[in-house]
Amino acid sequence: MKVDDLLANKELWFVTGSQHLYGPEVIEQVERDARSIVDGLNGDKRIPIKIVPKAVLTSSDAIARMLADAGSSPECIGVIAWMHTFSPAQMWMPGLKTLAKPLLHLHTQHNAEIPWDSIDMDFMNLNQSAHGGREFGFAVTRLGVPRKVVVGHWKEQRVQEQIGAWSTVALAHHDATVGRIARFGDNMRRVAVTEGNKVSARAQFGYSVEGFGVGDLVEYVDAVSDADIDRTVEEYRSEYEIAKGLDKGGERHEALRYAARQEIGIRRFLDEGGFTGFTTSFEVLHGLDQLPGLAPQRLMAQGYGFGAEGDWKTAAFLRTAKVMAIGRSGGTSFMEDYTYHFTGENSSVLGAHMLEICPSIAKGKPRIEIHPLGIGGKSDPVRAVFDGQGGAAVNATMVDLGDRYRMIVNEVDAVAPEKPMPNLPVARVLWKPKPNLEVGAATWILAGGAHHTVYSQAVTREQLIDYARITGVEAVVIDENTTVERFEQELRWNELYYRFNRL
Ligand code: MN
């Protein structure tokens, strides 16, 4: 994924509500105020998507036309609505019923503080968001249209941060609707949670999952030129430490070159086909010399989605998280809860995988090493080994419950390991789940949470919940306030709600 390509030409439309009652002078003022808000928001680098001011809307026809245009515009990825004055909301209902893009209701006012000495009825009639926004909100609720509501003065940092975080969720949603996951091989045999209904995914999120034999990929891998491999090996040498025998002149250097060949071959396959993510399976490697390890690590860092063992749901979810993370600091990776460190209150999880953890979460320079895999019966695979960064993170998963999807989000704190792990040949990160391992793991398991996850220090829980709202899937959060008893009840209530609200 080239981030610039994703952002190119994408827009959020800013629509302002008013009515004819106030006369043309007031409408002109409303339009000027809307433009100054849009200019202010566009000037903030927390909002990476361009916001485009649209006409002030004062009639049912104009609203319906504007929202239909938003729905069919390939550039528009979402609509921000602001009610400067009172805009009778029955006018909005026909348009809202057809709205096909994510909606953010910005409940702000152009003027910040009340001008105590000069305030009069003209001022009051121009600055009516306080009740105009409520009138609009009622209509949106009445129609059951999902939307995010952001409240506060538009110059406040918090408001701009919220709009910015939502803007990349809207982009991630757009990306998922046109997304394609290449599945090399199939699911790891007999594994349950990595499977799911691809048609349901198409209906719910928009992306398609397309299967290929590994032979289709092998052709691309074998066709990579030595010159391209030379260039990629030089990138490795500048970005990472390389274990002695693997580097140029070392007895195992050919294995490193083969890893570079895989990276280039897979990327070409994905780019030529317009794929946004992919899966591999260590059980299906016919024609590949080694299980791709460094290749998915590198491709994840470049923004592609990835899931191991045929896990296309996590591949698609990771890609979505990568897009949400645009413009934010911290890494995002495929992850698996691997082993526990039981020490009572401070018990923690060591997250890792056979090989495939994204270097974007690395603390310091990753080191490229080669070790036997122990399963799969292939040559020893090359991988980048590192410890993850400490600090707050989310660990999230998307599971298929048969008739619907459920997103589960656990807030966690990544912590430094007590001691180095010199004999562990894979990338890893240690974290404490909130509220603690006992409740965090119990609730995760009760919700049916997978062992594969998207782990991120960039994406926030609010962004994940925003995405769930846009796509109409359940989101449950495990945080410092979670108790097993309440969580189990929440699952039951949600079960009922989603039974009545089937896609
Ligand atoms: Mn796994």
mmCIF file of all heavy atoms in Angstrom, residues 144-159:
data_model
loop_
_atom_site.group_PDB
_atom_site.id
_atom_site.type_symbol
_atom_site.label_atom_id
_atom_site.label_comp_id
_atom_site.label_asym_id
_atom_site.label_seq_id
_atom_site.Cartn_x
_atom_site.Cartn_y
_atom_site.Cartn_z
ATOM 1 N N GLY A 144 -32.593 5.596 12.140
ATOM 2 C CA GLY A 144 -31.654 4.506 12.449
ATOM 3 C C GLY A 144 -30.403 4.537 11.585
ATOM 4 O O GLY A 144 -29.823 3.491 11.287
ATOM 5 N N VAL A 145 -29.985 5.747 11.184
ATOM 6 C CA VAL A 145 -28.757 5.853 10.375
ATOM 7 C C VAL A 145 -27.550 5.894 11.315
ATOM 8 O O VAL A 145 -27.500 6.731 12.214
ATOM 9 C CB VAL A 145 -28.794 7.143 9.510
ATOM 10 C CG1 VAL A 145 -27.483 7.309 8.750
ATOM 11 C CG2 VAL A 145 -29.979 7.114 8.551
ATOM 12 N N PRO A 146 -26.577 4.989 11.127
ATOM 13 C CA PRO A 146 -25.413 5.012 12.020
ATOM 14 C C PRO A 146 -24.566 6.257 11.760
ATOM 15 O O PRO A 146 -24.392 6.666 10.619
ATOM 16 C CB PRO A 146 -24.625 3.751 11.625
ATOM 17 C CG PRO A 146 -25.117 3.358 10.274
ATOM 18 C CD PRO A 146 -26.489 3.925 10.113
ATOM 19 N N ARG A 147 -24.098 6.896 12.808
ATOM 20 C CA ARG A 147 -23.228 8.058 12.634
ATOM 21 C C ARG A 147 -22.436 8.281 13.907
ATOM 22 O O ARG A 147 -22.790 7.841 14.985
ATOM 23 C CB ARG A 147 -24.011 9.304 12.271
ATOM 24 C CG ARG A 147 -24.563 10.114 13.449
ATOM 25 C CD ARG A 147 -25.679 9.387 14.167
ATOM 26 N NE ARG A 147 -26.584 10.321 14.838
ATOM 27 C CZ ARG A 147 -27.594 9.941 15.631
ATOM 28 N NH1 ARG A 147 -27.792 8.639 15.905
ATOM 29 N NH2 ARG A 147 -28.392 10.830 16.173
ATOM 30 N N LYS A 148 -21.340 9.055 13.718
ATOM 31 C CA LYS A 148 -20.545 9.467 14.858
ATOM 32 C C LYS A 148 -20.907 10.902 15.180
ATOM 33 O O LYS A 148 -21.114 11.712 14.272
ATOM 34 C CB LYS A 148 -19.061 9.377 14.520
ATOM 35 C CG LYS A 148 -18.173 9.775 15.691
ATOM 36 C CD LYS A 148 -16.731 9.471 15.436
ATOM 37 C CE LYS A 148 -15.892 9.758 16.672
ATOM 38 N NZ LYS A 148 -16.120 8.751 17.724
ATOM 39 N N VAL A 149 -21.002 11.210 16.458
ATOM 40 C CA VAL A 149 -21.283 12.576 16.877
ATOM 41 C C VAL A 149 -20.049 13.124 17.591
ATOM 42 O O VAL A 149 -19.557 12.523 18.547
ATOM 43 C CB VAL A 149 -22.505 12.625 17.830
ATOM 44 C CG1 VAL A 149 -22.785 14.066 18.253
ATOM 45 C CG2 VAL A 149 -23.730 12.005 17.167
ATOM 46 N N VAL A 150 -19.526 14.238 17.094
ATOM 47 C CA VAL A 150 -18.377 14.894 17.726
ATOM 48 C C VAL A 150 -18.849 16.256 18.225
ATOM 49 O O VAL A 150 -19.392 17.051 17.457
ATOM 50 C CB VAL A 150 -17.207 15.057 16.737
ATOM 51 C CG1 VAL A 150 -16.075 15.869 17.365
ATOM 52 C CG2 VAL A 150 -16.697 13.686 16.278
ATOM 53 N N VAL A 151 -18.649 16.516 19.516
ATOM 54 C CA VAL A 151 -19.148 17.744 20.145
ATOM 55 C C VAL A 151 -17.983 18.588 20.648
ATOM 56 O O VAL A 151 -17.087 18.079 21.318
ATOM 57 C CB VAL A 151 -20.085 17.413 21.327
ATOM 58 C CG1 VAL A 151 -20.613 18.710 21.967
ATOM 59 C CG2 VAL A 151 -21.241 16.530 20.886
ATOM 60 N N GLY A 152 -18.029 19.893 20.339
ATOM 61 C CA GLY A 152 -17.031 20.809 20.884
ATOM 62 C C GLY A 152 -16.721 21.893 19.873
ATOM 63 O O GLY A 152 -17.107 21.798 18.704
ATOM 64 N N HIS A 153 -16.013 22.940 20.328
ATOM 65 C CA HIS A 153 -15.663 23.997 19.383
ATOM 66 C C HIS A 153 -14.630 23.471 18.390
ATOM 67 O O HIS A 153 -13.733 22.724 18.750
ATOM 68 C CB HIS A 153 -15.130 25.239 20.107
ATOM 69 C CG HIS A 153 -15.042 26.413 19.195
ATOM 70 N ND1 HIS A 153 -13.844 26.901 18.720
ATOM 71 C CD2 HIS A 153 -16.024 27.167 18.618
ATOM 72 C CE1 HIS A 153 -14.098 27.921 17.897
ATOM 73 N NE2 HIS A 153 -15.400 28.102 17.835
ATOM 74 N N TRP A 154 -14.795 23.850 17.123
ATOM 75 C CA TRP A 154 -13.989 23.261 16.045
ATOM 76 C C TRP A 154 -12.509 23.575 16.139
ATOM 77 O O TRP A 154 -11.700 22.919 15.494
ATOM 78 C CB TRP A 154 -14.535 23.688 14.679
ATOM 79 C CG TRP A 154 -14.704 25.189 14.530
ATOM 80 C CD1 TRP A 154 -15.723 25.948 15.028
ATOM 81 C CD2 TRP A 154 -13.826 26.090 13.868
ATOM 82 N NE1 TRP A 154 -15.546 27.267 14.711
ATOM 83 C CE2 TRP A 154 -14.391 27.382 13.984
ATOM 84 C CE3 TRP A 154 -12.638 25.939 13.162
ATOM 85 C CZ2 TRP A 154 -13.789 28.510 13.450
ATOM 86 C CZ3 TRP A 154 -12.042 27.066 12.617
ATOM 87 C CH2 TRP A 154 -12.615 28.338 12.771
ATOM 88 N N LYS A 155 -12.138 24.574 16.942
ATOM 89 C CA LYS A 155 -10.714 24.875 17.088
ATOM 90 C C LYS A 155 -10.064 24.041 18.193
ATOM 91 O O LYS A 155 -8.847 24.056 18.356
ATOM 92 C CB LYS A 155 -10.508 26.362 17.399
ATOM 93 C CG LYS A 155 -10.658 27.240 16.172
ATOM 94 C CD LYS A 155 -10.346 28.693 16.505
ATOM 95 C CE LYS A 155 -10.525 29.570 15.282
ATOM 96 N NZ LYS A 155 -10.504 30.997 15.633
ATOM 97 N N GLU A 156 -10.877 23.362 18.974
ATOM 98 C CA GLU A 156 -10.298 22.565 20.071
ATOM 99 C C GLU A 156 -9.503 21.399 19.504
ATOM 100 O O GLU A 156 -9.953 20.704 18.596
ATOM 101 C CB GLU A 156 -11.410 21.994 20.957
ATOM 102 C CG GLU A 156 -11.967 22.955 21.970
ATOM 103 C CD GLU A 156 -13.140 22.343 22.742
ATOM 104 O OE1 GLU A 156 -13.035 21.154 23.101
ATOM 105 O OE2 GLU A 156 -14.150 23.046 22.921
ATOM 106 N N GLN A 157 -8.371 21.149 20.129
ATOM 107 C CA GLN A 157 -7.493 20.060 19.715
ATOM 108 C C GLN A 157 -8.217 18.708 19.770
ATOM 109 O O GLN A 157 -8.097 17.890 18.875
ATOM 110 C CB GLN A 157 -6.279 20.041 20.644
ATOM 111 C CG GLN A 157 -5.177 19.146 20.186
ATOM 112 C CD GLN A 157 -3.948 19.304 21.064
ATOM 113 O OE1 GLN A 157 -3.580 20.415 21.451
ATOM 114 N NE2 GLN A 157 -3.326 18.196 21.391
ATOM 115 N N ARG A 158 -8.988 18.511 20.812
ATOM 116 C CA ARG A 158 -9.687 17.233 20.996
ATOM 117 C C ARG A 158 -10.672 16.967 19.854
ATOM 118 O O ARG A 158 -10.798 15.852 19.351
ATOM 119 C CB ARG A 158 -10.441 17.251 22.338
ATOM 120 C CG ARG A 158 -11.246 16.023 22.658
ATOM 121 C CD ARG A 158 -12.070 16.233 23.924
ATOM 122 N NE ARG A 158 -12.912 17.422 23.847
ATOM 123 C CZ ARG A 158 -14.066 17.502 23.165
ATOM 124 N NH1 ARG A 158 -14.512 16.456 22.504
ATOM 125 N NH2 ARG A 158 -14.777 18.623 23.142
ATOM 126 N N VAL A 159 -11.367 18.042 19.444
ATOM 127 C CA VAL A 159 -12.348 17.911 18.356
ATOM 128 C C VAL A 159 -11.629 17.548 17.054
ATOM 129 O O VAL A 159 -12.042 16.655 16.318
ATOM 130 C CB VAL A 159 -13.142 19.221 18.203
ATOM 131 C CG1 VAL A 159 -13.967 19.226 16.931
ATOM 132 C CG2 VAL A 159 -14.029 19.429 19.437
#
